[in-house]
Amino acid sequence: MSKLDWFKEAKYGLFIHFGIYALPGGEWHGVPSPHGSEWIMKNMKIPYSEYKELAKKFDPKSFDPYYYVRNAKKWGMKYLTFTAKHHDGFAMYDTKVSDYNVMNTPYGKDIVKQLADACAEEGLTFCIYYSQMQDWEHPDGEGNNWDFDPEKKDFKRYFYDKCIPQVKELLTNYGKVGMMWFDTPYDMPEELCRELAEVVRACQPDCLINSRIGYGYGDFREVADNTIPVLSRRDVWESPMTMNSSWGYIKRDKTSKSSADVLQNLVRIVGKGGNLLLNLGPDENGLPPKVCTDALDSAGKWLEKYGDSIFGTTNIPNFPYLLPWGDLTYSAIRKTLYFHVKNYPAFPHRVLLTGLQTKVRSVTLMYDGSKLKYSQSYEPGRDEHRLYVFLPEVCPDPDDTVVAVELEGEATAQTI
Ligand code: GLC
């Protein structure tokens, strides 16, 4: 048993970026902010005295924690990560450390608490995002050089007066926390990163820490935003992704990843050994864009039927070839390889897997449970293993046709 077990099994989580930046929604007095609506204060150098006025209007009347928690479950997600404090420094919970928090808004209710309780009740793992270095409200926090003179900053004052006490509150007042999700450590001194990790571990020894705490003090690797590694990896990792162009709500963006995009990203990430943390940015009323939740609904329906090809699977580390037709996931327990056929072959209707050494027992089309023909061979001269699977003429599922290949033993792949 390792404390990483739940995370390795989870595969898919919901990220929520919600803060007072939802009110401007990526525009300040009609001028669009260049990127990421949660960065508007810094992007547009909005004085703190002006930005903080947003708190006086923050009243997300439609925010319902159960909406997010129950839907996350329905969409197939196993954990939820919420922005307790983003770079703007505003706390979305009842903190005694700073008045700059959600209790001092017309809404006046602790959002972290509501989500933590709903997660505990519904059996979803609750995780907390906390921006440990950037804090644009605190005179000594990193990032705000338009209100506060960088020469006069004493980062340690911010660190000990706000960051550490807030992290302690979050790990003391909200029950079991699955993970602390830190972000943008920049050039934070290594000893402070270590100290922060020690504080987390002292409060909740089983709480995971992502690698953005800095200097390798995390428990697993957070890859760069919206990326997928090229190679299948042996370590534990997560890829955070947006559904549209921003983390926080952005009014002018009416786009969304489609359900096919979501599934392709999920399959690719899981097939390379990682987790997908997929983001929604609720609007000022506390509701996520419908175009995004529609896509998650469809992806969730697909996962209800084909969940076995994702959950309970791992990757085959260092599988040597790219597959022109799609991706592979693998369940060691079921001794089954799953072919995710995204680019359905027009002619001939078959896919080839090169490099699999293990003997195949049977091949099933998950769409209807029918058995498919296959042929497996080994050519000693070239030292090549080949497996052909013959598919129906008509593509059963354009989003992802899944073929379950049951093996006689543990899957092993040739090294090349
Ligand atoms: C970036 C951004 C931030 C966002 C995060 C999510 O580091 O600074 O706005 O919260 O990525 O991965």
Side-chain angles (χ1 to χ4, degrees):
M1 276 289 283
S2 133
K3 67 178 182 178
L4 276 158
D5 287 349
W6 75 265
F7 186 63
K8 288 202 262 184
E9 274 164 33
K11 311 293 177 198
Y12 193 24
L14 178 65
F15 211 174
I16 303 178
H17 274 67
F18 191 32
I20 53 176
Y21 43 79
L23 284 146
E27 275 170 36
W28 199 251
H29 303 306
V31 183
S33 168
H35 65 84
S37 85
E38 71 286 357
W39 273 77
I40 195 165
M41 180 176 173
K42 173 139 178 143
N43 285 344
M44 306 188 84
K45 300 204 170 21
I46 302 169
Y48 168 62
S49 57
E50 250 181 76
Y51 185 83
K52 76 173 192 317
E53 293 298 299
L54 292 171
K56 294 192 181 146
K57 291 187 238 145
F58 188 72
D59 195 12
K61 289 208 167 63
S62 306
F63 177 80
D64 174 6
Y66 289 95
Y67 169 87
Y68 289 96
V69 172
R70 290 187 184 137
N71 271 309
K73 280 172 70 180
K74 208 178 81 187
W75 295 329
M77 294 156 166
K78 310 289 186 237
Y79 58 109
L80 184 152
T81 306
F82 180 70
T83 49
K85 187 201 82 166
H86 206 269
H87 309 329
D88 64 1
F90 184 82
M92 295 293 278
Y93 72 99
D94 186 2
T95 171
K96 303 294 172 239
V97 176
S98 153
D99 289 338
Y100 198 41
N101 75 68
V102 71
M103 305 311 283
N104 300 318
T105 65
Y107 184 67
K109 280 179 276 179
D110 185 331
I111 294 197
V112 171
K113 173 105 179 86
Q114 293 180 62
L115 284 168
D117 289 351
C119 280
E121 207 179 308
E122 295 282 327
L124 204 66
T125 301
F126 181 62
C127 306
I128 294 178
Y129 173 109
Y130 187 88
S131 171
Q132 76 275 32
M133 188 178 194
Q134 294 201 74
D135 190 303
W136 306 329
E137 167 256 348
H138 197 286
D140 297 303
E142 172 66 29
N144 183 345
N145 293 346
W146 58 99
D147 283 309
F148 311 114
D149 181 355
E151 300 294 310
K152 294 198 183 121
K153 286 191 183 193
D154 176 359
F155 181 74
K156 282 193 174 167
R157 203 155 48 197
Y158 153 77
F159 186 73
Y160 292 113
D161 287 357
K162 187 167 181 184
C163 172
I164 291 286
Q166 285 200 328
V167 167
K168 282 185 181 161
E169 284 179 330
L170 289 165
L171 289 166
T172 313
N173 301 338
Y174 298 94
K176 195 170 163 3
V177 175
M179 180 200 306
M180 282 305 291
W181 211 104
F182 294 110
D183 203 7
T184 62
Y186 295 147
D187 58 351
M188 190 161 140
E190 178 173 353
E191 72 268 18
L192 299 187
C193 299
R194 189 186 338 113
E195 199 176 326
L196 183 57
E198 281 163 5
V199 166
V200 174
R201 296 195 167 117
C203 291
Q204 295 203 24
D206 288 336
C207 179
L208 300 180
I209 301 174
N210 74 341
S211 59
R212 292 193 196 172
I213 192 167
Y215 297 100
Y217 289 108
D219 296 300
F220 68 91
R221 175 74 190 188
E222 199 71 61
V223 300
D225 296 342
N226 289 305
T227 59
I228 303 180
V230 171
L231 299 176
S232 189
R233 296 164 63 105
R234 284 183 190 277
D235 65 343
V236 181
W237 58 277
E238 177 182 63
S239 174
M241 284 197 174
T242 50
M243 276 300 274
N244 53 25
S245 65
S246 169
W247 301 95
Y249 174 68
I250 182 151
K251 279 183 201 156
R252 25 181 231 295
D253 190 352
K254 309 287 181 210
T255 66
S256 171
K257 284 194 164 67
S258 65
S259 65
D261 295 337
V262 169
L263 292 170
Q264 188 175 35
N265 281 305
L266 180 62
V267 164
R268 281 202 175 145
I269 288 170
V270 171
K272 293 196 160 92
N275 283 14
L276 169 61
L277 181 63
L278 194 54
N279 181 75
L280 284 176
D283 66 13
E284 63 186 284
N285 294 313
L287 296 172
K290 185 162 180 314
V291 60
C292 299
T293 55
D294 284 349
L296 293 175
D297 282 344
S298 316
K301 288 210 182 86
W302 187 96
L303 282 167
E304 263 169 37
K305 177 160 178 173
Y306 297 105
D308 275 359
S309 71
I310 299 287
F311 304 110
T313 72
T314 50
N315 56 339
I316 305 182
N318 305 334
F319 188 80
Y321 294 108
L322 275 178
L323 304 169
W325 42 264
D327 294 275
L328 274 186
T329 53
Y330 170 59
S331 164
I333 296 164
R334 293 189 285 273
K335 294 203 192 75
T336 300
L337 267 179
Y338 297 92
F339 289 19
H340 295 266
V341 184
K342 169 82 179 143
N343 303 322
Y344 204 80
F347 183 84
H349 306 293
R350 66 177 192 201
V351 286
L352 167 64
L353 184 73
T354 309
L356 174 73
Q357 290 165 313
T358 325
K359 208 166 170 321
V360 171
R361 178 169 286 164
S362 73
V363 179
T364 312
L365 182 68
M366 277 185 85
Y367 178 74
D368 58 7
S370 59
K371 293 288 171 214
L372 296 178
K373 291 210 170 96
Y374 65 94
S375 83
Q376 193 172 22
S377 59
Y378 174 65
E379 191 185 324
R382 285 210 278 190
D383 186 25
E384 267 180 31
H385 293 262
R386 272 175 238 133
L387 168 64
Y388 283 102
V389 170
F390 301 94
L391 298 167
E393 240 170 75
V394 180
C395 169
D397 187 341
D399 281 359
D400 180 356
T401 295
V402 190
V403 173
V405 177
E406 201 194 328
L407 306 174
E408 293 200 340
E410 190 192 326
T412 55
Q414 253 180 315
T415 42
I416 54 168

